[in-house]
Structure formats: structure tokens, C-alpha cells
Amino acid sequence: MRKYCVKTLISHSNTQGNSPFLLENESAYALWRQEKLANFPSKISEITVSIKALDDFCVQQRKEILDLSAKANMVFYKVESEPTKETISDFAFLLGLHRLDGNLCAGDDAISSIQMRPDSELHKTYIPYSNKALSWHTDGYYNSSEKNINAFLMHCARTSESGGDNQFFDPEIMYILLRDDNPDSIAALMQTDVMSIPPNEHNGEEIRPVQLGPVFSIDSESACLHMRYSARKRNIDWKVEDRVQYALNKITEILNSGSEYCFKYTPTQGQGIIANNVLHNRSKIYELENKLEKEADGNLGAGRLIYRARFYDRLSRSE
Ligand SMILES: [Fe+2]
């Protein structure tokens, strides 16, 4: 089976002009909103599937996974047989996620092994490879719009002693809550210069230029809503406008309000999530002292291990 094939472009009847995500389309928004909220799951178990093996599931199960993912832009799974990176990649491929995003810390297969890496000069500069908490974000918020991350998969291969809890929040629900509160927040966050990420440098070399872009945009390929966001205080320059600040405060308030739309999740071995790049965070990770010592020695056979893959494609029922 292949890895990097080019996805056939899909033609959509829902073009940008009549998108419910444009403020002028109030009736389209009202219809879409009503359907979204009516179908939204009330708990994780409603959007969780059990699978024997990630590279061996039937057409009916594929349909079930894609149908469930459409409700909240995410689906959780529990798999019986422990997958390899290859079978994780195959699983994603079978769900329409063909174009993997590589990054500095990923292997040649473009799948990252997220674990503490105190032995690696490169890895230890990135928070995901530490035991620190990760604040709310969507993946690849620092990518250019040509390389928007539209989906991710995270598979738990090993758990931590404690901590490492995740929370997930559907960006479409965030859009609804913001628009219902004040449509001007949406206008503010759709500005193409609202969020600026300074360049990334490693060993004095620029490995990513400055990135300027919107928080909310409409994906030209799928006509779906895309969200770029990070709650990090450092390394993000927000456009100085009252309405931008109002919208950012509202996002923080919603994410920290214990919202009924937020899914709390502590992955155990064999569990994973596949999602349309929903908002997520991670609490601090705690390991036993001897596990930390092993990892400091470069012995990476202990402690929390998450395989993570990112894609330019979205999960879609239309394929
Ligand atoms: Fe992330």
C-alpha cells in the first residue's frame, strides 16, 4: 500500500459563496447550525468504535467511523491488536487521509513518536516531547495556508503513570458559540492578518518563515471550516483590535468553562482518536522516577508514547 498519493479533488455543491460560515448567509447558517447541534454527541461513548485491527475492518465499519466523525469532527477507537506505524498509516489511508505532513521531529514515515526526549537536543526544544502541559491549540497553526493541517490521528502505545489527560473541542461548535454571542468576533477572526507566528529558527537557521493568517477560514477544497489557534502567550502576535481581543477572551472563556461540548479523555494503550484537527490540550505528565531516569539515558522503552500523524486531507463521508 502507498503513502503519498495525491487526493482527487472533490467537487462540492456547497461552494464558498453560499457557505454557512460566511456571515451574510444567515439562513444557510441557521439550517446548518440546527442540524449540527441536533446531531452533536453528548458523550464520548457515542462516537467511539471498537476495531479488531487498524488495517483490517469492513466496509460497514469504515462507514460507521466516517459517519460518527461527522457529528463532532472526531471519532475515538479502541483496537484489539497493537498496531505498528505502518498499520496506523494504512488505517488513515483507508479513511481518506492520504497526504501526510512531515515535520522535523517525525520519522521518515512522517509519523511522530510523542514521548519525553531529554536525550535529544532537537526534540527537547519542543513542549510535546516534555512532560509539560500543552495549552489549547489546533495542530500546525504555524503552517502556511497551502499546508493547512486538516486532520490528525493520535494513537496511545503506552500510558503515563498519571496525567497526560486530553480535552477535545470541535471548532464548528466554537464557531457557533462565538457567532451566537457576537458575529463581529467571526469577522475579526476571519481577517487574513489576525494571527502572526514569528519565524522558527534552529541552530541559527530559519526553518520556517513568519506565518500570517486567519483563525477561521473556509477550506477551498472541501468548503469546510478550518481553524488555526493557539492559546500560547509567547510566539504569537495578534492583531491589535478591540474586537479581536474580545473574541480571544471569549474563546478562552468557552474553553475553560467546563462546557458540555468539551470531551475529556485519558487515552490508554490501544486507544486513539482520529479527528478533523479539532482543538485539544494535554495536562502535565507524571512518570515514576525510574522511568524518567531510563528516558534520560536514551532508553525510550518506558513512559507515555503517542504515535501522531497529521494530514492535509479531511475525514469525509463523500469519498
Ligand atoms: Fe496537538
Side-chain angles (χ1 to χ4, degrees):
M1 201 162 177
R2 84 30 282 125
K3 299 260 150 80
Y4 303 97
C5 84
V6 177
K7 183 184 179 189
T8 308
L9 294 181
I10 311 162
S11 61
H12 290 264
S13 56
N14 187 15
T15 58
Q16 291 216 8
N18 56 19
S19 167
F21 305 119
L22 294 176
L23 286 175
E24 60 265 34
N25 296 333
E26 288 185 16
S27 55
Y29 170 66
L31 276 174
W32 170 83
R33 177 187 179 282
Q34 186 180 33
E35 191 182 352
K36 176 78 190 182
L37 295 178
N39 289 310
F40 200 80
S42 57
K43 47 188 186 291
I44 279 187
S45 59
E46 292 175 26
I47 46 171
T48 300
V49 292
S50 293
I51 308 170
K52 276 205 164 107
L54 289 189
D55 57 349
D56 180 19
F57 54 93
C58 66
V59 173
Q60 187 54 38
Q61 266 190 312
R62 178 182 183 276
K63 183 178 182 309
E64 182 189 7
I65 292 168
L66 292 173
D67 286 350
L68 290 179
S69 74
K71 292 175 182 285
N73 280 307
M74 63 189 108
V75 61
F76 298 85
Y77 66 81
K78 167 79 182 152
V79 63
E80 278 178 33
S81 63
E82 190 54 29
T84 62
K85 280 187 173 183
E86 172 121 39
T87 52
I88 287 172
S89 185
D90 289 347
F91 176 55
F93 187 88
L94 290 167
L95 297 173
L97 305 181
H98 303 163
R99 297 172 296 173
L100 273 155
D101 175 63
N103 66 74
L104 272 185
C105 296
D108 292 340
D109 48 21
I111 296 181
S112 303
S113 301
I114 309 288
Q115 58 189 326
M116 279 187 262
R117 290 296 304 271
D119 61 307
S120 163
E121 285 304 314
L122 172 63
H123 289 78
K124 71 184 185 186
T125 59
Y126 295 96
I127 300 175
Y129 296 91
S130 74
N131 68 337
K132 292 178 183 165
L134 285 167
S135 57
W136 283 101
H137 64 282
T138 57
D139 274 6
Y141 60 86
Y142 38 75
N143 279 19
S144 65
S145 58
E146 297 77 44
K147 291 196 167 181
N148 269 345
I149 301 300
N150 282 309
F152 65 72
L153 180 152
M154 289 196 285
H155 176 84
C156 179
R158 286 197 309 264
T159 53
S160 57
E161 195 57 34
S162 65
D165 307 319
N166 293 116
Q167 294 185 92
F168 297 99
F169 202 101
D170 184 349
E172 290 180 354
I173 294 292
M174 179 59 74
Y175 178 97
I176 289 172
L177 298 178
L178 290 172
R179 182 163 171 173
D180 288 358
D181 170 69
N182 184 353
D184 211 27
S185 292
I186 301 299
L189 297 177
M190 281 188 145
Q191 296 180 99
T192 53
D193 60 351
V194 72
M195 184 186 189
S196 174
I197 316 292
N200 186 14
E201 293 181 353
H202 185 68
N203 291 335
E205 189 185 336
E206 184 177 292
I207 50 181
R208 181 185 43 70
V210 64
Q211 293 297 350
L212 196 63
V215 171
F216 287 120
S217 59
I218 302 169
D219 182 58
S220 58
E221 193 173 312
S222 66
C224 294
L225 186 73
H226 184 268
M227 185 175 188
R228 292 166 72 234
Y229 176 75
S230 171
R232 289 187 74 177
K233 300 287 180 229
R234 296 193 309 156
N235 289 332
I236 296 181
D237 295 324
W238 292 100
K239 187 170 186 176
V240 181
E241 276 185 357
D242 287 347
R243 60 179 184 164
V244 171
Q245 196 52 55
Y246 178 87
L248 294 175
N249 290 344
K250 197 71 195 174
I251 290 176
T252 304
E253 183 188 314
I254 291 166
L255 291 175
N256 297 328
S257 66
S259 167
E260 62 189 302
Y261 298 108
C262 181
F263 294 115
K264 294 181 170 60
Y265 179 68
T266 303
T268 58
Q269 190 172 342
Q271 290 184 333
I273 175 176
I274 191 156
N276 285 330
N277 201 3
V278 296
L279 289 151
H280 55 289
N281 69 1
R282 181 187 82 186
S283 68
K284 186 176 177 181
I285 296 168
Y286 297 93
E287 301 288 9
L288 292 176
E289 211 45 43
N290 62 346
K291 280 189 183 174
L292 289 176
E293 283 166 17
K294 276 185 186 172
E295 298 204 352
D297 290 342
N299 179 346
L300 301 173
R304 190 180 196 262
L305 171 61
I306 303 287
Y307 291 129
R308 185 199 63 202
R310 294 166 165 171
F311 304 91
Y312 302 133
D313 310 291
R314 284 175 60 90
L315 293 162
S316 170
R317 286 185 291 179
S318 58
E319 288 187 52

